[in-house]
Amino acid sequence: MNSCSNSFGGTKKIRLLEDRKKKRKQYGGTAHGNQIFLDGSHDEHMPPPNPMVGFSLPNYRQLPVDRKIPKKAIGRPFFYYENVAQAPRGVWATISRCLYGIQPEYVDSKHLCAAARKRGYIHNLPIENRAPLLPLPPMTILEAFPRYKKWWPSWDTRTQFNCLRTSVACQQLTGSIGALARTGNPPPRNIQKDMIKQCKEYNLVWIGKNKVAALEPEEIEYLLGFPKDHTRGLASTNRHKSLGNSFHVDTVAYHLSVLKGMFPNGVNVLSLFTGIGGGEVALHRLGINMRTVVSVEIDKASKRIFRDWWDQTQTGTLIEIDDVKSLTDDQVATYVTTFGGFDLVIGGSPCNNLAGCNRSSRHGLEGKQSVLFHHYVRILNAVKSAMARK
């Protein structure tokens, strides 16, 4: 059975888990050897670097990169895969092995904007002659939102936001922080410390005297590089959720910018796990025409957002599919024949079972949602096989 496949039999799962327990006991709690476990953990480890600035970033001096792309992964179709950088041990080694052994590029968006977003990217794109979107985004909270400067207490020393998540602080929490802020001018240091901790965790801003609130969806859109009102029309909860699961547009655009000179007549895109269209918004902002996009997304709210944006901004062909599991290899081959192949296969599978904030089901690449990564690999291989036969 291929290690990058997600089709494990029940008996094999049990046997692998038993072997894992034995090896942990034998080696003092750590599984050694070359066994690939169900959660993607094994002896290989690819920890993100510090700082997390990828192979290059605007305004950073580019360091020499020893990057090897095997011959079978060079050129069209270009592919681009994204997920959370701080996944369980061994996950990125497994992802890399499934994607032609290509080294991940780790980037924290705090080096590009006023909010952190630690992500890993595996792609076969060139890394020379990249160009950022202009104008460059503001790098600090008060540069992005100067109206809050009037109310920002001097003891709150935050200059950037933490990762923008799918959930927001409740009114009870923001109210309690406001009450604590009124305990002194300034409040005692121990209370300051507790308030700053909560403000960091939930990305709260000071909107009045001793008054904090969560970021509005429009503000998150701005920080992530989406157009104003991109998610408007949905309930606030759905807007926060869809934005929390999205790409950081400026980072993705910086990586994809190399395509502009390569495809002056536009691109055909296979977009897996499209979400609210972060990849497509990046291509649009780069001025790259999308002749055709085959979009695969199961979430109805995200599909509505993406469809509305497409109808307002694009003239190309959009084909929508509900689920990566329903996209067969034969369908992929038909699309390759119809459109002459794909220039870009882009996507980021669900991070639910990889993210550090998931305390209950952080099961790695074989978790209920994150197992869908294997469909990205399957579909990419189907595209490459169909294009090789042309």
Side-chain angles (χ1 to χ4, degrees):
M1 179 72 68
N2 190 312
S3 65
C4 297
S5 170
N6 67 327
S7 54
F8 290 87
T11 303
K12 190 168 184 178
K13 282 185 179 180
I14 294 171
R15 186 166 62 251
L16 287 173
L17 290 171
E18 289 175 347
D19 288 345
R20 181 181 181 187
K21 290 178 182 178
K22 289 179 183 177
K23 290 189 177 184
R24 280 185 169 175
K25 185 176 181 180
Q26 180 181 355
Y27 293 101
T30 304
H32 288 238
N34 294 321
Q35 176 67 59
I36 300 167
F37 298 113
L38 293 175
D39 63 356
S41 63
H42 48 88
D43 58 334
E44 297 177 75
H45 190 34
M46 301 178 101
N50 187 18
M52 218 179 285
V53 295
F55 301 141
S56 68
L57 279 182
N59 300 326
Y60 279 79
R61 183 171 62 89
Q62 183 171 352
L63 299 175
V65 177
D66 182 20
R67 184 173 184 248
K68 297 180 176 66
I69 298 181
K71 185 176 180 181
K72 61 183 178 181
I74 293 175
R76 185 173 178 262
F78 290 100
F79 62 87
Y80 189 83
Y81 176 81
E82 177 261 16
N83 217 311
V84 292
Q86 295 172 320
R89 181 181 178 91
V91 163
W92 275 103
T94 299
I95 294 173
S96 172
R97 186 168 55 253
C98 292
L99 294 175
Y100 307 98
I102 296 174
Q103 174 187 354
E105 180 171 13
Y106 296 110
V107 179
D108 187 340
S109 65
K110 73 177 185 179
H111 301 292
L112 284 161
C113 72
R117 203 173 194 80
K118 297 176 181 179
R119 295 293 185 266
Y121 305 87
I122 290 183
H123 58 84
N124 63 340
L125 295 162
I127 60 175
E128 299 81 16
N129 302 316
R130 290 169 162 178
L133 292 173
L134 296 175
L136 294 175
M139 294 296 294
T140 69
I141 293 172
L142 295 182
E143 287 173 351
F145 307 116
R147 62 186 177 277
Y148 296 138
K149 186 174 182 179
K150 177 180 179 180
W151 306 111
W152 205 273
S154 59
W155 48 264
D156 186 344
T157 57
R158 290 177 296 152
T159 59
Q160 291 187 308
F161 294 112
N162 275 345
C163 183
L164 303 168
R165 297 181 179 177
T166 56
S167 58
V168 296
C170 63
Q171 290 183 354
Q172 182 179 356
L173 176 62
T174 57
S176 66
I177 291 175
L180 288 172
R182 291 189 289 273
T183 58
N185 188 21
R189 286 184 177 271
N190 62 321
I191 293 179
Q192 291 179 25
K193 184 178 179 180
D194 185 56
M195 284 190 289
I196 291 174
K197 180 182 177 182
Q198 297 294 332
C199 288
K200 282 183 177 179
E201 181 174 354
Y202 292 100
N203 289 317
L204 303 179
V205 291
W206 297 92
I207 62 171
K209 185 178 180 180
N210 301 323
K211 184 178 182 181
V212 295
L215 288 167
E216 295 293 337
E218 294 83 2
E219 295 171 322
I220 300 175
E221 290 170 347
Y222 176 63
L223 291 167
L224 292 177
F226 287 94
K228 188 176 185 296
D229 294 332
H230 186 70
T231 59
R232 190 171 181 178
L234 298 182
S236 179
T237 300
N238 287 338
R239 295 181 74 182
H240 281 98
K241 180 181 177 182
S242 62
L243 287 163
N245 287 324
S246 70
F247 286 165
H248 178 244
V249 172
D250 288 86
T251 301
V252 174
Y254 184 64
H255 295 160
L256 298 182
S257 62
V258 297
L259 297 174
K260 187 168 184 178
M262 300 168 64
F263 298 98
N265 297 322
V267 291
N268 293 326
V269 180
L270 176 54
S271 178
L272 307 176
F273 314 101
T274 302
I276 59 174
E280 290 74 16
V281 170
L283 290 169
H284 175 67
R285 290 190 60 191
L286 287 166
I288 299 175
N289 177 44
M290 288 167 277
R291 299 199 307 270
T292 305
V293 170
V294 177
S295 168
V296 188
E297 174 55 52
I298 197 168
D299 182 72
K300 291 181 180 179
S302 295
K303 288 182 72 169
R304 174 184 162 187
I305 293 168
F306 179 59
R307 163 62 81 171
D308 287 348
W309 173 82
W310 181 274
D311 289 344
Q312 294 175 59
T313 63
Q314 305 301 306
T315 58
T317 300
L318 175 63
I319 297 172
E320 294 180 288
I321 298 172
D322 288 338
D323 192 347
V324 291
K325 291 182 285 188
S326 67
L327 179 57
T328 67
D329 293 1
D330 287 342
Q331 283 179 292
V332 169
T334 299
Y335 288 134
V336 166
T337 300
T338 303
F339 304 120
F342 289 104
D343 305 303
L344 176 66
V345 179
I346 186 170
S349 53
C351 67
N352 306 54
N353 309 116
L354 307 181
C357 59
N358 186 345
R359 306 288 181 178
S360 60
S361 58
R362 199 177 184 217
H363 302 317
L365 291 175
E366 299 310 322
K368 184 177 180 181
Q369 288 85 26
S370 296
V371 71
L372 295 173
F373 159 74
H374 298 289
H375 284 284
Y376 180 95
V377 177
R378 173 185 66 81
I379 293 167
L380 173 62
N381 288 335
V383 171
K384 291 181 72 66
S385 295
M387 290 178 64
R389 293 194 297 268
K390 285 185 73 224

